[in-house]
């Protein structure tokens, strides 16, 4: 039997004053509710959908959990209600959603001997609901149902759930499924988790859901990639053994040694240098290796070291299989300059930087110029003269900020050139990540010098569009605030407001706004923030479909990408 309410606003059964019974709140009489019909009733100020089927009388929340449309305006077919708005279907006996994303809550109905109907509105205990909500959240993540995730996050926050525990659900789902290890989704959630403290009450859901949504979108339906067991036997120098395995692209042995160390009590301070050495060995994937390592350890700082055995082994594929760009032809000119440097001597000089050191202009000119050899030489000269590693990183950030302020974004739509906004922003996020590595290193080593030099290369390399076209006019940006932290937070908030259509662009907006805030505070300058404000406001290539088609035609026609 199928029944549809012809009247889109059916009459409401209202409970008379003081009409409360032991079995609940009186909402009417059985004779007033024909079989195969439904009505809206109010109980304790809440709108409910009262339904009568051949199986009995049932009460459900009136609002469809999708977008709140009234269920009584939909169709009743047997024991299924179909919401009129988006066709979600619910079983009236238990509220189970049989088509859609989320169950609807039900409430007990008592039918007295004389036919009086009473409903007991059930407000679940938060402690009892939390396990159910977490299970629902996991289901939403697995199926990439953003609406379900958002509603569950708000409910869990109202039940005093820890925001970190909610984001952990995304990490636990996404990290083992990431095809090539940690990607933008799992890394950007680290920054989103840090942003939670900028919000209050229900509004905290915004950064949390943005974090989870990126993982759900990217890892949906991917298989779990199992980890090897911890190694039973390791060498007397497991750190060197680990480094060797990564260098030889032996993923599982590297994971096994790492898991052995974690199982035997290695701390973050113990393992951080392992990863810094690995990401310093090569200019790895446009800086992603250093950036993702930074984010992984920052995540563990917030979630607890007890999660290290999930987070760190699943980071390794990114480091093992990442592109070793230092081996590619376009870095040969930079290597010529590096070959003239004594990294050990520069590391010794960097131990005690000269107070008040200032660039005489050579390093900035080299970073913004087109001579890759001179970029390396100028960085070496700066270190030898007392700049310290962070002094060179300061110059890198300033140069990349300048590039972002003068980038002619018409080049964004030159489909035959694989260069754009995201390429430039990496110069800043890479420098910020390497600064994190430097500050947490137990000592200054030649490896750290090499890692800083990779950022010098990338800062110089972000100018390659200018080399082929021309230097754009520098745009002056009106700062949003004289308070650098507040200025940065406004950019971070904007990054969460869906101003971009592609997740990869969103992820870059998040991590670049966070990096720029930290760099601006370090430099006591709004320039990095101005640069990010321009990036976020400018036209950007986002879908990359047309560009990929154009470059595919170029490739198959024998045309090569220009340097």
């Amino acid at each position: 039997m199928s029944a549809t309410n012809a009247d889109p606003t059916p009459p409401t059964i209202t409970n008379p004053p003081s009409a409360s019974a032991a079995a609940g709140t009186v909402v009417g009489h059985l004779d007033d509710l024909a079989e195969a019909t439904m009505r809206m009733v109010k109980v304790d100020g809440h709108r409910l959908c009262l339904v009568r089927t051949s199986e009995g009388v049932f009460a459900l929340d009136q609002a469809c959990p999708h977008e709140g449309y009234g269920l009584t305006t939909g169709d009743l077919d047997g024991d299924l209600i179909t919401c009129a708005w988006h066709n979600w279907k619910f079983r009236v006996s238990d509220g189970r959603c049989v088509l859609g994303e989320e169950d609807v809550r039900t409430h007990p109905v008592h039918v007295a001997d004389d036919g009086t109907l009473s409903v007991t509105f059930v407000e679940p205990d938060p402690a009892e609901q939390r396990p159910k909500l977490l299970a629902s959240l996991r289901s939403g993540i697995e199926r990439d149902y953003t609406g379900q995730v958002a509603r569950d996050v708000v409910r869990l926050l109202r039940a005093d759930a820890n925001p970190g525990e909610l984001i952990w659900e995304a990490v636990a789902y996404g990290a083992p499924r990431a095809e090539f290890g940690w990607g933008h989704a799992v890394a950007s959630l680290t920054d989103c988790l840090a942003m939670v403290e900028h919000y209050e009450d229900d509004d905290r859901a915004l950064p949390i859901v943005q974090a989870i949504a990126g993982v759900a979108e990217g890892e949906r339906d991917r298989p779990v990639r199992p980890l090897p067991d911890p190694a039973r036997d390791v060498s007397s120098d497991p750190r060197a053994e680990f480094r060797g395995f990564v260098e030889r692209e032996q993923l599982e042995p590297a994971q096994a040694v790492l898991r052995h160390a974690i199982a035997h009590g290695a701390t973050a301070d113990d393992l951080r240098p392992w990863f810094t050495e690995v990401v310093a060995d090569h200019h790895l994937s446009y800086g992603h290796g250093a950036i993702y390592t930074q984010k992984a350890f920052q995540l563990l700082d917030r979630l607890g070291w007890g999660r290290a055995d999930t987070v760190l082994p699943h980071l390794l594929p990114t480091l093992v299989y990442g592109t070793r760009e230092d081996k590619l032809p376009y870095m040969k000119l930079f290597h010529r300059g590096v070959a003239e440097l004594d990294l050990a001597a520069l590391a010794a000089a960097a131990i005690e930087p000269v107070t008040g050191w200032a660039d005489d202009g050579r390093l900035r000119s080299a970073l913004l110029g087109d001579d890759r050899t001179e970029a390396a030489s100028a960085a070496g000269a700066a270190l030898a003269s007392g700049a310290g590693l962070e002094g060179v990183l300061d110059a890198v950030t300033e140069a990349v900020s300048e590039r972002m302020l003068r980038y002619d974004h018409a080049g964004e739509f030159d489909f035959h050139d694989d260069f754009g906004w995201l390429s430039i922003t990496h110069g800043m996020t890479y420098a910020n990540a390497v600064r994190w590595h430097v500050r947490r290193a137990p000592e200054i080593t030649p490896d750290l010098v090499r890692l800083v030099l990779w950022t010098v290369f990338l800062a110089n390399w972000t100018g390659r569009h200018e080399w082929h076209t021309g230097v754009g006019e520098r745009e002056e940006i009106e700062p949003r605030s004289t308070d650098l932290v507040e200025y940065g937070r406004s950019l971070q908030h904007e990054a969460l407001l869906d101003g971009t259509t592609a997740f990869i662009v969103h992820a870059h907006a998040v991590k670049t706004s966070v990096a720029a805030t930290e760099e601006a505070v370090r430099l006591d300058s709004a320039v990095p923030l101005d640069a990010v404000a321009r990036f976020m406001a400018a036209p950007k290539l986002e879908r990359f479909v047309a560009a990929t088609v154009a470059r595919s035609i170029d490739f198959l026609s024998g045309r090569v990408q220009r340097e």
Side-chain angles (χ1 to χ4, degrees), residues 191-215:
D191 289 330
C192 287
L193 177 56
M195 290 184 200
V196 172
E197 62 191 34
H198 304 168
Y199 297 82
E200 296 181 353
D201 303 324
D202 288 351
D203 291 338
R204 294 174 296 163
L206 175 60
I208 295 171
V209 176
Q210 285 284 17
I212 293 173
V215 174

Side-chain angles (χ1 to χ4, degrees), residues 5 7-15 26-28 32-33 37-43 45-52 58-64 68-74 81 117 119:
N5 288 291
D7 184 352
T9 55
T12 299
I13 302 176
T14 58
N15 48 301
V26 174
V27 293
D32 298 325
L33 188 67
T37 64
M38 48 188 174
R39 300 275 183 87
M40 187 185 77
V41 300
K42 288 185 178 179
V43 176
H46 299 273
R47 290 182 173 89
L48 304 181
C49 172
L50 191 67
V51 185
R52 184 177 179 184
F58 307 93
L60 308 86
D61 284 349
Q62 164 73 344
C64 174
Y69 207 64
L71 291 181
T72 54
T73 63
I81 290 180
L117 299 175
V119 177

Side-chain angles (χ1 to χ4, degrees), residues 457-473:
F457 168 79
L458 188 58
N460 175 260
W461 187 241
T462 59
R464 68 186 188 276
H465 180 73
E466 295 179 350
W467 304 342
H468 298 292
T469 56
V471 177
E473 184 176 348

Side-chain angles (χ1 to χ4, degrees), residues 7 92 95 122 142 158 244 297 308 361-362 371 373 379 383 391 399 407 431 537 539:
D7 184 352
V92 300
V122 177
E142 291 170 4
R158 291 180 177 181
F297 277 89
R362 180 185 176 186
D371 187 333
T373 304
L383 289 168
Y407 171 53

Side-chain angles (χ1 to χ4, degrees), residues 421-477:
W421 268 119
L422 304 191
S423 306
I424 309 179
T425 64
H426 268 268
M428 184 180 296
T429 53
Y430 195 14
N432 177 257
V434 171
R435 194 187 299 279
W436 176 90
H437 283 274
V438 167
R439 289 181 174 179
R440 285 154 183 81
E443 58 181 340
I444 303 297
T445 65
D447 290 322
L448 280 180
V449 174
R450 187 187 310 106
L451 184 55
V452 169
L453 289 174
W454 297 145
T455 73
V456 169
F457 168 79
L458 188 58
N460 175 260
W461 187 241
T462 59
R464 68 186 188 276
H465 180 73
E466 295 179 350
W467 304 342
H468 298 292
T469 56
V471 177
E473 184 176 348
R474 188 184 197 275
E475 184 174 347
E476 297 300 324
I477 304 297

Side-chain angles (χ1 to χ4, degrees), residues 74 99 138 157 177 184 216 238 241 269 319 356 359 368 376 392 428 483 486 498 513 521 528:
L99 181 65
R138 293 183 196 110
L157 288 174
R177 290 172 170 80
H184 288 294
E241 186 178 24
D269 290 339
L319 310 185
D359 178 22
L368 292 173
V392 173
M428 184 180 296
D483 184 317
E486 287 304 312
D498 295 340
S513 63
V521 171

Side-chain angles (χ1 to χ4, degrees), residues 2-3 21 29 50 70 175 185 212 232 281 300 302 311 330 345 351 373 377 395 468 484 494 511:
S2 177
H29 194 276
L50 191 67
I212 293 173
R232 293 184 178 181
D281 282 338
L300 290 170
R302 290 183 175 273
V311 172
Y330 59 74
I351 293 174
T373 304
S377 300
H468 298 292
L484 297 176
E494 182 179 333
K511 71 176 180 177

Side-chain angles (χ1 to χ4, degrees), residues 253-560:
Q255 291 174 319
V257 169
L258 175 60
R259 296 193 72 198
H260 176 276
I262 294 170
H264 285 77
T267 66
D269 290 339
D270 295 328
L271 294 182
R272 207 179 291 113
W274 293 26
F275 283 84
T276 297
E277 288 174 349
V278 165
V279 300
D281 282 338
H282 299 281
H283 175 39
L284 199 59
S285 296
Y286 225 75
H288 281 122
I291 295 168
Y292 292 165
T293 297
Q294 171 199 26
K295 300 305 180 186
F297 277 89
Q298 288 177 333
L299 182 67
L300 290 170
D301 287 342
R302 290 183 175 273
L303 296 184
W305 186 247
R307 268 72 186 260
D309 194 47
T310 295
V311 172
L312 296 182
H314 288 297
L315 167 64
L316 279 182
T318 305
L319 310 185
V320 169
Y321 299 129
T323 302
R324 298 174 179 185
E325 298 193 32
D326 50 297
K327 294 187 174 184
L328 298 179
Y330 59 74
M331 286 196 67
K332 286 183 177 179
L333 293 174
F334 186 76
H335 286 315
R336 288 182 186 176
V338 173
E340 300 299 318
L341 304 178
D342 183 339
L343 300 190
L346 293 179
I351 293 174
E352 294 185 10
V354 173
T355 302
W357 179 90
D359 178 22
D360 62 6
R362 180 185 176 186
L363 181 55
R364 179 179 174 86
S365 295
L367 291 169
L368 292 173
D370 60 3
D371 187 333
R372 281 164 267 182
T373 304
E374 169 60 8
S377 300
L383 289 168
S385 67
L389 299 181
E390 293 212 50
V392 173
L393 292 171
D394 292 343
V396 166
T397 295
E398 290 170 342
V400 173
S401 298
E402 177 69 18
R403 281 252 164 75
M404 293 174 69
L405 287 167
R406 72 189 197 191
Y407 171 53
D408 181 358
H409 45 68
E412 193 77 358
F413 301 95
D414 179 356
F415 292 164
H416 301 282
D417 188 358
D418 66 340
F419 181 88
W421 268 119
L422 304 191
S423 306
I424 309 179
T425 64
H426 268 268
M428 184 180 296
T429 53
Y430 195 14
N432 177 257
V434 171
R435 194 187 299 279
W436 176 90
H437 283 274
V438 167
R439 289 181 174 179
R440 285 154 183 81
E443 58 181 340
I444 303 297
T445 65
D447 290 322
L448 280 180
V449 174
R450 187 187 310 106
L451 184 55
V452 169
L453 289 174
W454 297 145
T455 73
V456 169
F457 168 79
L458 188 58
N460 175 260
W461 187 241
T462 59
R464 68 186 188 276
H465 180 73
E466 295 179 350
W467 304 342
H468 298 292
T469 56
V471 177
E473 184 176 348
R474 188 184 197 275
E475 184 174 347
E476 297 300 324
I477 304 297
E478 182 68 28
R480 300 184 181 190
S481 173
T482 56
D483 184 317
L484 297 176
V485 173
E486 287 304 312
Y487 189 174
R489 286 185 176 179
S490 74
L491 292 171
Q492 293 169 38
H493 176 66
E494 182 179 333
L496 299 181
L497 296 181
D498 295 340
T500 58
T501 58
F503 172 73
I504 190 172
V505 182
H506 161 82
H508 279 76
V510 169
K511 71 176 180 177
T512 308
S513 63
V514 170
T517 304
E518 295 175 359
E519 295 299 297
V521 171
R522 157 72 185 182
L523 298 173
D524 193 24
S525 166
V527 172
L529 298 170
D530 293 343
V532 174
R534 183 172 188 258
F535 157 63
M536 293 177 66
K540 288 178 284 293
L541 190 65
E542 296 203 21
R543 294 195 66 222
F544 303 100
V545 175
T548 300
V549 170
R551 292 164 195 166
S552 297
I553 293 171
D554 287 346
F555 171 73
L556 294 172
S557 301
R559 294 187 288 270
V560 298

